[in-house]
Amino acid sequence: MSGTVNNPFQHIVESLDSKVPNQQFYNLTKLGDPRYDRLPFSIRVLLESAVRNCDEFLVKRSDVESILNWKQTQTQTVEVPFRPARVILQDFTGVPAVVDFAAMRDAVMKLGGDPEKINPVCPADLVIDHSIQVDFNRKSDSLQKNQDLEFDRNKERFQFLKWGSKAFRNMRIIPPGSGIVHQVNLEYLARVVFNYDGYFYPDSLVGTDSHTTMIDGLGVLGWGVGGIEAEAVMLGQPISMVLPEVVGYKLYGAPDKFITSTDIVLTVTKHLRQVGVVGKFVEFFGPGVAQLSIADRATIANMCPEYGATAAFFPVDNVSIQYLEQTGREAEKLSYITKYLKAVSMFRDYNDVSQDPDFTQVVELDLSQVVPCCSGPKRPQDRIAVSSMKEDFETCLGAKQGFKGFQVAPERHSIDAPFQFNGKEYTLNHGSVVIAAITSCTNTSNPSVMLGAGLLAKKAIEHGLSVKPYIKTSLSPGSGVVTYYLKESGVMEYLSQLGFEVVGYGCMTCIGNSGPLPEPVVEAITQGDLVAAGVLSGNRNFEGRVHPNTRANYLASPPLVIAYAIAGTVRIDFEKEPIAINSEGKEIFLRDIWPTREEIQAVERQFVIPSMFKEVYAKIEKVNERWNALVAPSDKLYTWDPNSTYIKSPPFFDGLTMQLQPPKSINDAYVLLNFGDSVTTDHISPAGNIARNSSAARYLTSRGLTPRDFNSYGSRRGNDAVMARGTFANIRLFNKFLNKQAPQTIHLPTEAVLDVFDAADRYLQSGVPLLILAGKEYGSGSSRDWAAKGPFLLGIKAVIAESYERIHRSNLVGMGVIPLEYLSGDTADSLGLTGRERYTIVIPEKLTPRMIVDVKLDTGKIFQVRMRFDTDVELAYFHHGGILNYMIRKMSEN
C-alpha cells in the first residue's frame, strides 16, 4: 500500500524529517499544479492514493490527471481507481466474508492455483459486535447473562472467526464484548495517518457496514461497501469508482444550549435528503464546524447513509488532534500526523475562508436554528420537532398506510388494552412506549449525549420519577470507555434506577437484536391491534427492524429516549404537558430535568480523560476470557462440517472453470416479486429473528433444531441454505401481487400463494429465470451482501428499478445479477406493467457501461432500460459471473 515500483511520481517523494531519511511521503504540493489547492480535501485523499499506487496497470497516470481535473469532470462520468489503506468488518458481514475466502481457497486449489494467494494484502480488522441480544435487562447481572448467551449461541461462528484470524495474514479480530465496530474504529483503530513500510500517507478505509462513514468525522475518508467488494479490496484490487460530485455543507452559528448532536444530525439528514446527495461526497466547512467536537462530527458522519451520500467528510483540524490526545494516542504519532497533513495541505482551519476549496454545490445550515427533534415513525429522514411529536403521531395513526401512516380507523384511535404485569394492572394505547433503548454507535460514542442522559436520569430520580416496569429499557454502550466515565461521573446509578442497566457492548436494539418483549405486553398489543412505539438512539427505524411488535419506531437522542420512557408514550407535548406526576402529586415538566450543554461539558471535561481510553484499549484483544479459551483449528484450508447449521461451504463457485462464457439474453423470465419504493435490505435479507412458520425455520427444524436454537438470520449468514430461505422473509414485505404485508408471493403459473423461497424453488425446478420489479431507492438501508447473494441463489437474473441505493447496486453487480434502471420518466405504472407478463432482456454480445437495452414482453410490448454497469471494471466482473469468480480466476493463473 506504500509506493510502487516504477512509479512515475517518484520525483515528488521526500523525507518528512531530514533527520529520518527513511520515512518518506509523496508531497502532492510538489506536483506544481494549481488545481491541487482548489480540490476538496476529500478528493485530495483519492489523489494521494492514486499518486502513491500509480503502476500504469491498476492505477494509471491518466487516473491521476482525471482526479486533478475533478472540477472540469462534474458533468461527465469519469471512472477512477481507489486503493484504501485498510478494511474494517463486523461479524454479521465478516463471517460470510471469511466463508467466501475459505471457499475461494478451495476453488483456487481445484483450478490448480496456490490457495494461499487468497489472503488480505492490506490490514483488515473485524470487530464482533452484531451477535449480542437484549435477552435480559433491568438487572445488575443482565450484561453477564447476555454475554454468556451470546457465546453459547455463537460458539461455532466464533470458532470459525478465530480460525480465520490464524489462517489469514493481516486479519485482526476484536473479540465480543469489546464494543461497536465504528466506535472502536474511532477511539482505537483509526491511524489518521499511516506510517507503514517507510511511507507516510492518509488513513482511509472501506467497511462492510454502511455506517463506516462515522470515521469521516475524524478526518479519515471511509465509506461502506458490499462484503463482496470489500473482499476484492482485501485481495489487492482497487475500488473502481465514479469520481464523485462534492457538496460543500457550510455550518455557521452556534447551537442552543439545550440542543444535542442528535438533533443536529436528524436536521442535517432531512435537509440533505431534500438536497439530493446520493452517490456524492459531502464535505463540511465553515466556522460552525469549529463549534463541534469530534464526537458531534462523528455523529453527523455516521448517519451519512440515511441522507444518501457516499461519504460525509470533516477534514482534520486542531480539534481532531485534541481528540486523538484525549483518546490516548501517543504524542509521537500526533506530531507526525500534524506535520504530514500540513506538508500536503490536508490540515484544515475552519475559520480560514482562504482554505475553502471548490465544491460542486454549496448548501448551508445555521446551527442556531436547530430544534430538539426525533425521526420516524418508519424512516430516519422523517424528522419531527419534539414539540410536534404528539400531533404528528396522531396524524400518522389515521393516515393511509405508508411511511407516515398506519391506517387505523378513527373509532379505534383511543382504544385501551389492559394487561397485568408482575401482579399489577397497566394499560397500553396507541403510541405507548414498550422499548426504550440507548444504543448504537451513532450516539453512544458521544460523551455529551451519554452524560446528558445520565444527568437527566439523576434529575429525574431526584424529582421522584420512574419508568414503568414493563417497558424494555436498555443501555448498550459502544465501548467500555462509556461505562467507565458514566460510573466515574456518578450518573450510572441513576440510569440503573430508571432501568437503563448496561446489557451488552454491541449494536443490539439498533440492528433488531432487541430480544423478546414480556408476553403480557405482546398479548395486549396483539389483542388491541395497537401501534406500539419503540424509541431508540439508533440510526435506522425501518418497519420490522427494531421489533415485530413495535410498528412505530423513533430515533432520538439518549436523553430523549429516557424522557419518552418516563412519559410512557410518544403522544405527549413536552412543552405543554408534564412528563409525569411524582409521588407527591407534583407535575414535573421535561424542562425541569433537562441538562444544559454547559452542565454536560463541565462533567465531560472532568471525567472523559486519556487514561480511561488507554486502560480499556490496552487489554481489548485479551479481555474476553471465553474468547481466549476458544480452541480453533489452524489448517490453511477449512475443514467444512456437513452437520453445521452455521458454517457451510457456499455453492457460488460450483463448476467454475477458467473459461469465460459469453453473456446471454434472459428469455421469458417471470417476475418473482413486484415492489414499490424504498424496499430496504432489511426487507430483502432480514437480520432479526427467524419466524417459526418460515421456510428457514422449517429447514432448521429438519436439521433437528428447536426454535430456541434458531438464533437470528444475521448470525446464520455463514450458511447459504438458511440465508436463501431467509431472503424476502421480512413480515413487513409489501408485494403488489398480494397487496398486503407478508413474506409471500404468487407462483404465477399456478396462482398458488407461497413463501417467497418456496415459489422461487418451484421456478428453479422448472428452469425458469426470474426478475424483480421495484420503484425508487431499491436496496436502501444497511450494507448487506446477502441482499444480493440471496436473490442470486433464488434464481433472480436481473432487477428492474427506478433507482438503487449505491452499495446494493454494487453488491448485485458483484454477484452477477443485472441492475436495470427505467429510463427517465418511465415507471412500472407509466409503462402499464402488472408484473404478470413474461420478460425477455436482450443482452448484446458487446457491452458498454450504462448502455441501453431492450426489454420485450410476451404481450408484444417493448421498452428500454439502462444497464447499470457503471464502469468497465464492473462489466469485467459481469463477464466472469461476479467479482469473486473474477478474483478466483485471477489468483489461479500461473
Side-chain angles (χ1 to χ4, degrees):
M1 303 303 289
S2 51
T4 59
V5 179
N6 301 323
N7 188 317
F9 296 99
Q10 202 66 31
H11 64 283
I12 66 168
V13 172
E14 58 182 59
S15 297
L16 189 64
D17 187 336
S18 57
K19 297 173 188 171
V20 192
N22 62 337
Q23 292 190 322
Q24 302 175 303
F25 71 107
Y26 283 79
N27 191 343
L28 301 186
T29 64
K30 295 294 175 69
L31 288 169
D33 195 314
R35 292 174 294 179
Y36 178 66
D37 287 328
R38 303 309 308 154
L39 290 177
F41 282 64
S42 50
I43 300 298
R44 295 179 201 187
V45 178
L46 300 184
L47 178 68
E48 191 283 337
S49 172
V51 166
R52 177 168 38 87
N53 291 295
C54 188
D55 59 0
E56 292 296 5
F57 176 59
L58 288 173
V59 184
K60 299 178 180 177
R61 194 167 191 150
S62 59
D63 296 319
V64 172
E65 174 59 26
S66 293
I67 300 172
L68 276 167
N69 208 34
W70 170 83
K71 190 176 181 183
Q72 278 65 48
T73 60
Q74 294 301 286
T75 56
Q76 305 160 33
T77 301
V78 177
E79 178 190 350
V80 294
F82 174 52
R83 291 191 71 176
R86 59 190 175 97
V87 173
I88 196 162
L89 311 100
Q90 36 87 342
D91 56 302
F92 269 17
T93 51
V95 167
V98 179
V99 165
D100 286 347
F101 271 22
M104 288 169 78
R105 279 192 170 180
D106 292 344
V108 167
M109 190 162 184
K110 284 175 187 171
L111 291 175
D114 176 7
E116 289 211 46
K117 281 188 178 179
I118 302 294
N119 237 321
V121 297
C122 67
D125 295 300
L126 191 157
V127 181
I128 299 174
D129 66 353
H130 272 52
S131 301
I132 192 165
Q133 299 185 33
V134 191
D135 289 287
F136 300 95
N137 69 313
R138 284 187 174 253
K139 298 278 173 56
S140 58
D141 62 351
S142 296
L143 171 62
Q144 190 59 53
K145 283 184 169 180
N146 286 328
Q147 287 183 335
D148 287 345
L149 200 49
E150 174 193 24
F151 225 93
D152 293 341
R153 284 175 175 147
N154 296 284
K155 185 178 178 184
E156 199 177 324
R157 296 170 66 242
F158 293 169
Q159 276 181 318
F160 177 68
L161 288 175
K162 200 159 190 182
W163 166 80
S165 68
K166 293 178 182 179
F168 298 107
R169 293 189 302 275
N170 276 331
M171 183 177 281
R172 171 170 51 175
I173 308 282
I174 305 296
S178 303
I180 302 175
V181 57
H182 308 305
Q183 187 162 341
V184 173
N185 193 18
L186 193 70
E187 295 175 351
Y188 176 61
L189 298 174
R191 283 77 155 176
V192 183
V193 170
F194 259 81
N195 178 8
Y196 181 75
D197 203 19
Y199 284 85
F200 292 102
Y201 51 93
D203 187 5
S204 61
L205 68 150
V206 290
T208 57
D209 189 283
S210 48
H211 294 102
T212 299
T213 51
M214 185 169 187
I215 203 63
D216 291 339
L218 185 56
V220 175
L221 184 63
W223 62 86
V225 296
I228 305 156
E229 199 172 1
E231 290 165 34
V233 172
M234 290 161 72
L235 293 173
Q237 283 291 108
I239 285 177
S240 178
M241 62 184 294
V242 174
L243 197 58
E245 295 181 22
V246 182
V247 175
Y249 199 92
K250 184 176 183 179
L251 297 175
Y252 63 96
D256 181 83
K257 64 181 181 178
F258 293 112
I259 293 302
T260 68
S261 58
T262 317
D263 302 320
I264 296 171
V265 72
L266 295 179
T267 303
V268 169
T269 298
K270 182 174 184 180
H271 185 199
L272 284 175
R273 269 284 172 188
Q274 292 167 337
V275 169
V277 292
V278 172
K280 302 174 186 179
F281 284 5
V282 175
E283 186 167 307
F284 292 83
F285 73 109
V289 178
Q291 303 278 330
L292 301 176
S293 67
I294 292 302
D296 290 343
R297 297 176 195 180
T299 299
I300 294 168
N302 177 284
M303 284 193 72
C304 176
E306 280 64 55
Y307 41 87
T310 300
F313 194 63
F314 290 83
V316 174
D317 69 342
N318 282 321
V319 176
S320 316
I321 303 301
Q322 289 163 12
Y323 175 82
L324 293 173
E325 187 176 8
Q326 181 192 35
T327 50
R329 269 67 167 217
E330 296 94 336
E332 180 193 349
K333 287 185 179 176
L334 304 189
S335 174
Y336 72 64
I337 289 169
T338 306
K339 193 170 184 179
Y340 168 77
L341 292 174
K342 287 183 174 177
V344 292
S345 296
M346 292 192 198
F347 197 88
R348 192 75 163 93
D349 178 351
Y350 287 100
N351 291 307
D352 182 356
V353 294
S354 71
Q355 282 193 12
D356 292 352
D358 293 330
F359 293 112
T360 309
Q361 174 189 3
V362 171
V363 290
E364 299 183 350
L365 176 68
D366 180 354
L367 292 172
S368 68
Q369 298 302 304
V370 176
V371 298
C373 54
C374 300
S375 278
K378 301 182 186 183
R379 295 191 305 181
Q381 64 262 41
D382 293 330
R383 186 188 71 90
I384 315 141
V386 169
S387 57
S388 303
M389 271 285 282
K390 181 178 182 178
E391 180 187 359
D392 188 84
F393 179 83
E394 290 175 348
T395 301
C396 289
L397 259 189
K400 183 182 176 185
Q401 182 73 38
F403 299 125
K404 295 287 286 185
F406 297 102
Q407 210 162 331
V408 174
E411 64 272 14
R412 294 189 58 80
H413 284 199
S414 301
I415 194 166
D416 290 340
F419 68 101
Q420 282 211 333
F421 183 77
N422 290 347
K424 288 189 176 179
E425 189 83 21
Y426 296 96
T427 302
L428 291 182
N429 322 92
H430 292 300
S432 288
V433 173
V434 294
I435 290 177
I438 298 176
T439 180
S440 168
C441 51
T442 308
N443 285 291
T444 67
S445 61
N446 194 326
S448 65
V449 291
M450 296 303 286
L451 287 168
L455 290 171
L456 184 140
K458 181 175 185 289
K459 292 184 179 190
I461 293 294
E462 289 168 351
H463 279 77
L465 306 184
S466 62
V467 174
K468 293 182 177 70
Y470 62 82
I471 295 175
K472 187 156 193 179
T473 48
S474 61
L475 168 58
S476 49
S479 81
V481 175
V482 179
T483 310
Y484 205 148
Y485 65 66
L486 290 176
K487 284 181 176 176
E488 289 295 308
S489 61
V491 298
M492 190 72 236
E493 62 177 288
Y494 300 103
L495 287 163
S496 298
Q497 285 180 58
L498 288 179
F500 289 89
E501 290 279 1
V502 173
V503 294
Y505 296 94
C507 304
M508 304 191 89
T509 301
C510 187
I511 58 161
N513 285 356
S514 47
L517 287 174
E519 203 56 48
V521 172
V522 174
E523 286 175 11
I525 293 170
T526 306
Q527 288 170 8
D529 194 20
L530 296 179
V531 180
V535 184
L536 65 153
S537 63
N539 47 46
R540 296 265 164 82
N541 55 342
F542 302 126
E543 280 187 287
R545 179 184 175 98
V546 174
H547 194 281
N549 295 113
T550 55
R551 286 159 65 189
N553 294 285
Y554 292 92
L555 306 182
S557 66
L560 276 175
V561 170
I562 296 177
Y564 281 109
I566 293 169
T569 180
V570 295
R571 294 172 86 170
I572 182 171
D573 182 343
F574 284 130
E575 292 183 6
K576 298 175 182 174
E577 300 173 61
I579 188 172
I581 297 171
N582 69 10
S583 54
E584 297 169 7
K586 183 182 177 185
E587 291 186 342
I588 308 296
F589 287 81
L590 181 57
R591 57 180 170 266
D592 299 327
I593 60 174
W594 193 269
T596 65
R597 280 175 84 89
E598 290 78 10
E599 286 178 82
I600 295 164
Q601 285 166 355
V603 177
E604 184 177 348
R605 278 192 297 271
Q606 184 177 353
F607 292 104
V608 184
I609 54 178
S611 59
M612 288 183 177
F613 292 87
K614 286 179 179 175
E615 184 179 330
V616 167
Y617 284 111
K619 56 191 179 185
I620 191 168
E621 291 178 51
K622 297 295 178 189
V623 74
N624 190 315
E625 294 298 335
R626 289 192 70 174
W627 176 265
N628 297 341
L630 201 59
V631 177
S634 54
D635 304 335
K636 296 300 181 186
L637 293 177
Y638 188 69
T639 305
W640 305 97
D641 178 0
N643 297 316
S644 174
T645 56
Y646 277 104
I647 307 297
K648 178 177 174 290
S649 181
F652 306 135
F653 316 123
D654 291 355
L656 185 68
T657 65
M658 291 297 285
Q659 286 73 43
L660 295 188
Q661 301 297 318
K664 294 176 183 173
S665 293
I666 301 168
N667 294 311
D668 288 328
Y670 278 104
V671 173
L672 179 65
L673 292 150
N674 188 0
F675 293 131
D677 295 342
S678 296
V679 170
T680 71
T681 52
D682 278 295
H683 290 118
I684 304 168
S685 183
N689 291 337
I690 297 171
R692 295 185 182 195
N693 60 347
S694 64
S695 294
R698 290 193 288 276
Y699 169 79
L700 292 170
T701 302
S702 75
R703 299 297 302 268
L705 273 67
T706 59
R708 69 183 299 275
D709 298 317
F710 285 173
N711 210 335
S712 64
Y713 282 114
S715 68
R716 297 267 176 196
R717 285 185 185 161
N719 186 314
D720 62 272
V722 175
M723 296 309 295
R725 287 164 174 80
T727 303
F728 299 112
N730 191 314
I731 60 169
R732 301 295 178 198
L733 189 77
F734 188 86
N735 176 9
K736 289 181 182 178
F737 285 155
L738 300 176
N739 207 27
K740 66 175 184 178
Q741 289 183 333
Q744 295 178 317
T745 194
I746 296 173
H747 179 251
L748 296 173
T750 62
E751 293 294 322
V753 176
L754 302 169
D755 285 350
V756 174
F757 173 81
D758 297 330
D761 194 46
R762 280 200 192 180
Y763 285 120
L764 212 58
Q765 298 302 324
S766 54
V768 179
L770 296 172
L771 300 179
I772 286 172
L773 297 184
K776 298 181 184 71
E777 298 176 349
Y778 181 72
S780 57
S782 300
S783 160
R784 202 161 284 180
D785 56 346
W786 267 108
K789 289 176 174 175
F792 169 81
L793 291 177
L794 295 188
I796 290 162
K797 303 300 181 187
V799 179
I800 306 177
E802 290 176 53
S803 65
Y804 293 87
E805 193 278 337
R806 176 185 61 83
I807 298 175
H808 185 62
R809 186 199 64 81
S810 168
N811 273 334
L812 290 173
V813 171
M815 287 308 299
V817 178
I818 306 173
L820 301 169
E821 198 166 272
Y822 295 110
L823 299 186
S824 180
D826 284 353
T827 65
D829 289 342
S830 73
L831 293 167
L833 307 180
T834 65
R836 289 179 167 272
E837 310 86 353
R838 298 196 63 176
Y839 291 68
T840 293
I841 318 289
V842 181
I843 300 175
E845 202 164 309
K846 181 160 178 54
L847 302 177
T848 57
R850 297 178 65 85
M851 76 183 296
I852 292 172
V853 297
D854 288 337
V855 180
K856 298 178 180 179
L857 308 184
D858 61 346
T859 60
K861 184 180 182 69
I862 299 176
F863 64 96
Q864 292 185 312
V865 292
R866 188 178 302 282
M867 196 178 267
R868 284 296 310 276
F869 297 123
D870 289 356
T871 66
D872 287 321
V873 172
E874 289 186 346
L875 278 174
Y877 295 155
F878 174 64
H879 283 297
H880 280 265
I883 192 170
L884 301 183
N885 294 359
Y886 170 85
M887 292 306 301
I888 288 169
R889 289 190 176 107
K890 186 179 173 187
M891 296 291 181
S892 301
E893 292 170 352
N894 294 322

